[in-house]
Amino acid sequence: MKLFSDLHKQASTKFLATGDEVPLGDWLKEHTTLNRKPFDFSRYPFQERIANDMHPNMSVIKCSQIGLTEVQIRKFLAFLRRMNGVSGIFTMPTEDMYKRVYTTRISPLLKNDDVFNPPMVDKPVRRQDLIQIGDSWGYITGCNEGPATSIPADILFHDELDLSDEAMIGLFQSRLQNSDYKITQAFSTPTYMGFGVDKNFALTDQFHYLIRCESCNHHQFPRFEHEWVHLPDLSFEVDKLVDMTPEQITGLNLKEAYVKCCKCSSRLDLHNPALREWVAKHPSKDNFRGYKVNPFSTDRISLEYIFKQLAKYKLNENEK
């Protein structure tokens, strides 16, 4: 049985579908692993739509610790593998960040997943700043002038856009000039309104990951505001939840807090993917694609954790 399994794996790797024949998300599930187990979207179902989308102009507003950097890396590597003879640039804000991402995220994928080691190349180039997958090349770099003026590319992936040099991000666009694909996708945790990924997102069709209330059937995008957050026994008034002081947060009954429907105040079931769907706010603006993900796009980030982190950020003066 093991011999058959190994033979099937080798054949699948050699003759795997290329181009657009298989949705990219399905391809990632079939051919890649995470912690030596088959990769899937079960922990964060909202990721699959983003993984499948190779729109040439895409901006994604994300929050920390929801796996979108992992998805972005896999999309980048999958593009290099599925399209022959292409090149891509994956940027992080600094040299330290891209080297850390290569060591902890990219290198394990290249080593553990056979699909990124096609047989046509015996000893592919594998460096922190340059990787070879078959006939394709991937450049991993900080956001600086050298790569932005010297490397041709078919795709640009920018991670943590808001921490990157805005002028350099603009300069990277010249690298796509001779490409047939001309794909730019940027992902970032937002910092300030009207800046970086928030500014880009405003130009897009603005997909939000809505949830349906089982009690009143209202569809909504919950936010960290009074309208969606139930705090039992709240003994003081504050205009915005983000304005709470660490001292006020310590007095909250966080064990019984939950995300509620803004219309009927019933508890929303964040765990059930059947109640979720991606919906575009401006579907006609399809020249630019945008996705917005927040902590309530998953059930894995509790209100208790959010409030406690808010208190820590305020104590360290890092509220952005």
Side-chain angles (χ1 to χ4, degrees):
M1 190 66 182
K2 184 178 186 303
L3 181 63
F4 175 80
S5 177
D6 291 344
L7 182 63
H8 178 266
K9 183 176 181 180
Q10 292 174 12
S12 296
T13 300
K14 185 174 181 180
F15 300 108
L16 54 86
T18 59
D20 296 325
E21 297 172 21
V22 174
L24 202 148
D26 290 344
W27 190 94
L28 293 175
K29 290 187 289 186
E30 175 70 21
H31 296 292
T32 70
T33 60
L34 179 64
N35 299 324
R36 301 189 182 275
K37 298 178 181 179
F39 177 77
D40 62 39
F41 301 101
S42 59
R43 286 165 63 90
Y44 301 105
F46 64 83
Q47 294 175 342
E48 188 161 10
R49 170 69 184 258
I50 297 173
N52 281 330
D53 198 330
M54 289 302 293
H55 194 284
N57 300 291
M58 193 165 95
S59 299
V60 179
I61 293 178
K62 64 175 185 175
C63 56
S64 300
Q65 303 300 315
I66 57 169
L68 278 178
T69 292
E70 187 72 40
V71 168
Q72 186 181 7
I73 289 168
R74 289 168 189 271
K75 287 180 69 173
F76 180 76
L77 298 179
F79 181 84
L80 299 180
R81 178 62 179 92
R82 301 213 309 171
M83 305 296 182
N84 293 323
V86 296
S87 62
I89 301 175
F90 189 103
T91 74
M92 297 290 291
T94 67
E95 182 176 337
D96 287 343
M97 290 180 73
Y98 90 72
K99 287 183 176 180
R100 183 168 64 251
V101 165
Y102 177 86
T103 301
T104 60
R105 302 283 187 89
I106 297 175
S107 181
L109 276 169
L110 298 176
K111 290 178 181 177
N112 297 331
D113 292 349
D114 293 339
V115 72
F116 298 123
N117 298 282
M120 71 277 289
V121 179
D122 290 334
K123 295 182 179 180
V125 176
R126 296 290 161 83
R127 304 198 314 247
Q128 288 181 323
D129 63 334
L130 179 62
I131 59 174
Q132 182 184 11
I133 300 178
D135 297 324
S136 298
W137 296 88
Y139 300 85
I140 321 298
T141 180
C143 200
N144 51 62
E145 190 168 354
T149 57
S150 63
I151 301 172
D154 295 290
I155 57 171
L156 297 173
F157 274 32
H158 300 301
D159 199 2
E160 294 303 347
L161 180 70
D162 279 30
L163 301 180
S164 302
D165 186 315
E166 197 170 25
M168 289 299 104
I169 292 295
L171 193 56
F172 270 108
Q173 284 297 306
S174 65
R175 303 298 86 211
L176 299 174
Q177 187 168 316
N178 293 319
S179 171
D180 292 331
Y181 299 98
K182 295 182 175 65
I183 295 172
T184 301
Q185 297 197 353
F187 295 61
S188 188
T189 302
T191 51
Y192 300 106
M193 298 291 290
F195 172 80
V197 72
D198 182 76
K199 180 172 66 175
N200 290 358
F201 182 77
L203 298 175
T204 72
D205 44 15
Q206 299 186 18
F207 274 88
H208 290 71
Y209 197 51
L210 303 187
I211 183 171
R212 177 175 62 83
C213 174
E214 292 181 282
S215 296
C216 69
N217 287 323
H218 180 60
H219 290 75
Q220 56 210 287
F221 184 72
R223 296 189 292 272
F224 189 63
E225 298 173 6
H226 285 291
E227 200 172 356
W228 286 278
V229 175
H230 173 73
L231 290 170
D233 308 320
L234 187 62
S235 59
F236 57 88
E237 292 185 5
V238 60
D239 289 339
K240 297 181 180 180
L241 296 178
V242 294
D243 292 335
M244 284 190 181
T245 66
E247 292 75 19
Q248 289 174 324
I249 291 173
T250 59
L252 297 176
N253 179 4
L254 296 177
K255 296 293 184 183
E256 297 182 29
Y258 57 82
V259 182
K260 65 181 180 179
C261 173
C262 66
K263 186 175 181 180
C264 72
S265 296
S266 298
R267 185 170 189 153
L268 294 175
D269 183 2
L270 303 182
H271 179 72
N272 187 355
L275 300 175
R276 302 277 201 167
E277 64 177 321
W278 282 107
V279 177
K281 184 176 181 180
H282 305 292
S284 63
K285 292 185 177 182
D286 57 359
N287 288 326
F288 295 89
R289 175 62 41 75
Y291 293 96
K292 189 169 188 177
V293 178
N294 73 4
F296 300 144
S297 297
T298 174
D299 66 314
R300 300 184 62 84
I301 304 177
S302 68
L303 276 173
E304 181 178 8
Y305 175 81
I306 293 171
F307 275 105
K308 288 180 178 179
Q309 289 301 107
L310 176 61
K312 292 177 183 178
Y313 293 149
K314 284 179 174 288
L315 287 172
N316 294 307
E317 299 183 354
N318 191 25
E319 294 176 48
K320 72 176 184 179

mmCIF file of all heavy atoms in Angstrom, residues 31 36-37 67 91 117 129 164-165 186 190 194 208 220 225 231 240 242 283 292:
data_model
loop_
_atom_site.group_PDB
_atom_site.id
_atom_site.type_symbol
_atom_site.label_atom_id
_atom_site.label_comp_id
_atom_site.label_asym_id
_atom_site.label_seq_id
_atom_site.Cartn_x
_atom_site.Cartn_y
_atom_site.Cartn_z
ATOM 1 N N HIS A 31 -1.212 19.579 -2.794
ATOM 2 C CA HIS A 31 0.232 19.423 -2.979
ATOM 3 C C HIS A 31 1.104 19.997 -1.871
ATOM 4 O O HIS A 31 2.324 19.823 -1.918
ATOM 5 C CB HIS A 31 0.652 20.069 -4.301
ATOM 6 C CG HIS A 31 0.052 19.421 -5.511
ATOM 7 N ND1 HIS A 31 0.376 18.147 -5.920
ATOM 8 C CD2 HIS A 31 -0.883 19.876 -6.385
ATOM 9 C CE1 HIS A 31 -0.306 17.844 -7.001
ATOM 10 N NE2 HIS A 31 -1.088 18.862 -7.299
ATOM 11 N N ARG A 36 3.924 19.099 8.406
ATOM 12 C CA ARG A 36 3.977 17.731 7.863
ATOM 13 C C ARG A 36 2.597 17.073 7.744
ATOM 14 O O ARG A 36 2.488 15.855 7.621
ATOM 15 C CB ARG A 36 4.939 16.852 8.669
ATOM 16 C CG ARG A 36 6.367 17.402 8.697
ATOM 17 C CD ARG A 36 7.346 16.429 9.312
ATOM 18 N NE ARG A 36 8.678 17.019 9.365
ATOM 19 C CZ ARG A 36 9.562 17.005 8.381
ATOM 20 N NH1 ARG A 36 9.252 16.439 7.243
ATOM 21 N NH2 ARG A 36 10.759 17.550 8.521
ATOM 22 N N LYS A 37 1.540 17.880 7.790
ATOM 23 C CA LYS A 37 0.189 17.391 7.545
ATOM 24 C C LYS A 37 -0.378 18.114 6.330
ATOM 25 O O LYS A 37 0.037 19.228 6.020
ATOM 26 C CB LYS A 37 -0.712 17.638 8.765
ATOM 27 C CG LYS A 37 -0.257 16.923 10.030
ATOM 28 C CD LYS A 37 -1.172 17.264 11.199
ATOM 29 C CE LYS A 37 -0.723 16.568 12.478
ATOM 30 N NZ LYS A 37 -1.589 16.917 13.632
ATOM 31 N N GLY A 67 -3.080 33.675 9.739
ATOM 32 C CA GLY A 67 -2.560 32.806 8.705
ATOM 33 C C GLY A 67 -2.494 33.358 7.305
ATOM 34 O O GLY A 67 -2.218 32.600 6.362
ATOM 35 N N THR A 91 8.094 40.942 -1.211
ATOM 36 C CA THR A 91 8.772 41.921 -0.364
ATOM 37 C C THR A 91 8.237 41.903 1.065
ATOM 38 O O THR A 91 7.060 41.642 1.305
ATOM 39 C CB THR A 91 8.634 43.357 -0.908
ATOM 40 O OG1 THR A 91 7.306 43.843 -0.684
ATOM 41 C CG2 THR A 91 8.961 43.417 -2.392
ATOM 42 N N ASN A 117 10.000 20.914 -5.954
ATOM 43 C CA ASN A 117 11.292 20.398 -6.398
ATOM 44 C C ASN A 117 11.105 19.534 -7.637
ATOM 45 O O ASN A 117 11.353 18.333 -7.611
ATOM 46 C CB ASN A 117 11.955 19.597 -5.270
ATOM 47 C CG ASN A 117 12.244 20.452 -4.057
ATOM 48 O OD1 ASN A 117 13.196 21.206 -4.033
ATOM 49 N ND2 ASN A 117 11.394 20.345 -3.030
ATOM 50 N N ASP A 129 17.500 35.179 -0.502
ATOM 51 C CA ASP A 129 17.028 36.246 -1.388
ATOM 52 C C ASP A 129 16.635 35.755 -2.771
ATOM 53 O O ASP A 129 16.104 36.528 -3.573
ATOM 54 C CB ASP A 129 18.094 37.326 -1.518
ATOM 55 C CG ASP A 129 19.382 36.793 -2.157
ATOM 56 O OD1 ASP A 129 19.643 35.581 -2.045
ATOM 57 O OD2 ASP A 129 20.128 37.592 -2.751
ATOM 58 N N SER A 164 6.069 49.331 4.976
ATOM 59 C CA SER A 164 7.025 49.440 3.880
ATOM 60 C C SER A 164 7.150 50.878 3.401
ATOM 61 O O SER A 164 6.241 51.694 3.591
ATOM 62 C CB SER A 164 6.603 48.543 2.716
ATOM 63 O OG SER A 164 6.493 47.194 3.122
ATOM 64 N N ASP A 165 8.276 51.180 2.760
ATOM 65 C CA ASP A 165 8.525 52.507 2.197
ATOM 66 C C ASP A 165 7.584 52.727 1.011
ATOM 67 O O ASP A 165 7.657 52.009 0.010
ATOM 68 C CB ASP A 165 9.986 52.600 1.756
ATOM 69 C CG ASP A 165 10.377 54.000 1.301
ATOM 70 O OD1 ASP A 165 9.607 54.621 0.535
ATOM 71 O OD2 ASP A 165 11.463 54.479 1.694
ATOM 72 N N ALA A 186 -1.123 43.004 -2.378
ATOM 73 C CA ALA A 186 -0.565 43.545 -1.142
ATOM 74 C C ALA A 186 -1.442 43.152 0.039
ATOM 75 O O ALA A 186 -2.672 43.213 -0.037
ATOM 76 C CB ALA A 186 -0.458 45.063 -1.227
ATOM 77 N N PRO A 190 -3.592 47.091 8.982
ATOM 78 C CA PRO A 190 -3.668 48.548 8.802
ATOM 79 C C PRO A 190 -3.101 49.294 10.001
ATOM 80 O O PRO A 190 -3.106 48.797 11.123
ATOM 81 C CB PRO A 190 -5.175 48.795 8.669
ATOM 82 C CG PRO A 190 -5.810 47.673 9.432
ATOM 83 C CD PRO A 190 -4.907 46.483 9.240
ATOM 84 N N GLY A 194 -6.796 55.976 5.726
ATOM 85 C CA GLY A 194 -6.360 56.767 4.591
ATOM 86 C C GLY A 194 -4.897 56.601 4.232
ATOM 87 O O GLY A 194 -4.353 57.388 3.445
ATOM 88 N N HIS A 208 -16.235 41.950 2.017
ATOM 89 C CA HIS A 208 -16.256 41.760 3.466
ATOM 90 C C HIS A 208 -16.770 40.350 3.764
ATOM 91 O O HIS A 208 -17.643 39.842 3.053
ATOM 92 C CB HIS A 208 -17.172 42.780 4.148
ATOM 93 C CG HIS A 208 -16.652 44.185 4.122
ATOM 94 N ND1 HIS A 208 -16.611 44.941 2.977
ATOM 95 C CD2 HIS A 208 -16.148 44.971 5.119
ATOM 96 C CE1 HIS A 208 -16.115 46.143 3.260
ATOM 97 N NE2 HIS A 208 -15.826 46.185 4.549
ATOM 98 N N GLN A 220 -24.133 40.860 8.329
ATOM 99 C CA GLN A 220 -23.360 41.974 8.871
ATOM 100 C C GLN A 220 -21.868 41.639 8.922
ATOM 101 O O GLN A 220 -21.472 40.475 8.811
ATOM 102 C CB GLN A 220 -23.838 42.302 10.276
ATOM 103 C CG GLN A 220 -23.787 41.128 11.240
ATOM 104 C CD GLN A 220 -24.855 41.224 12.303
ATOM 105 O OE1 GLN A 220 -24.767 42.034 13.202
ATOM 106 N NE2 GLN A 220 -25.887 40.371 12.191
ATOM 107 N N GLU A 225 -16.997 47.454 18.138
ATOM 108 C CA GLU A 225 -17.765 48.626 18.532
ATOM 109 C C GLU A 225 -18.923 48.175 19.420
ATOM 110 O O GLU A 225 -19.315 46.997 19.409
ATOM 111 C CB GLU A 225 -18.295 49.361 17.295
ATOM 112 C CG GLU A 225 -17.192 49.880 16.383
ATOM 113 C CD GLU A 225 -17.726 50.463 15.084
ATOM 114 O OE1 GLU A 225 -18.976 50.556 14.954
ATOM 115 O OE2 GLU A 225 -16.913 50.801 14.213
ATOM 116 N N LEU A 231 -21.012 43.409 26.536
ATOM 117 C CA LEU A 231 -20.211 43.431 27.755
ATOM 118 C C LEU A 231 -21.159 43.458 28.944
ATOM 119 O O LEU A 231 -21.768 44.487 29.244
ATOM 120 C CB LEU A 231 -19.287 44.655 27.780
ATOM 121 C CG LEU A 231 -18.122 44.652 26.789
ATOM 122 C CD1 LEU A 231 -17.454 46.015 26.749
ATOM 123 C CD2 LEU A 231 -17.116 43.576 27.154
ATOM 124 N N LYS A 240 -16.053 54.974 22.502
ATOM 125 C CA LYS A 240 -15.474 53.931 21.652
ATOM 126 C C LYS A 240 -14.762 52.907 22.518
ATOM 127 O O LYS A 240 -14.044 53.272 23.460
ATOM 128 C CB LYS A 240 -14.490 54.536 20.648
ATOM 129 C CG LYS A 240 -15.122 55.495 19.656
ATOM 130 C CD LYS A 240 -14.081 56.021 18.680
ATOM 131 C CE LYS A 240 -14.703 56.978 17.671
ATOM 132 N NZ LYS A 240 -13.679 57.500 16.709
ATOM 133 N N VAL A 242 -12.228 51.201 21.808
ATOM 134 C CA VAL A 242 -10.769 51.346 21.717
ATOM 135 C C VAL A 242 -10.242 52.446 22.628
ATOM 136 O O VAL A 242 -9.035 52.539 22.859
ATOM 137 C CB VAL A 242 -10.325 51.615 20.266
ATOM 138 C CG1 VAL A 242 -10.608 50.423 19.377
ATOM 139 C CG2 VAL A 242 -10.992 52.869 19.721
ATOM 140 N N PRO A 283 -19.540 45.891 -6.132
ATOM 141 C CA PRO A 283 -19.206 44.857 -7.118
ATOM 142 C C PRO A 283 -18.820 45.394 -8.489
ATOM 143 O O PRO A 283 -18.127 44.712 -9.246
ATOM 144 C CB PRO A 283 -20.484 44.013 -7.189
ATOM 145 C CG PRO A 283 -21.564 44.876 -6.618
ATOM 146 C CD PRO A 283 -20.911 45.745 -5.606
ATOM 147 N N LYS A 292 -11.375 42.394 3.185
ATOM 148 C CA LYS A 292 -11.153 42.905 4.544
ATOM 149 C C LYS A 292 -11.430 41.805 5.548
ATOM 150 O O LYS A 292 -12.515 41.218 5.570
ATOM 151 C CB LYS A 292 -12.054 44.109 4.831
ATOM 152 C CG LYS A 292 -11.713 44.804 6.154
ATOM 153 C CD LYS A 292 -12.428 46.140 6.280
ATOM 154 C CE LYS A 292 -11.944 46.905 7.499
ATOM 155 N NZ LYS A 292 -12.574 48.245 7.601
#
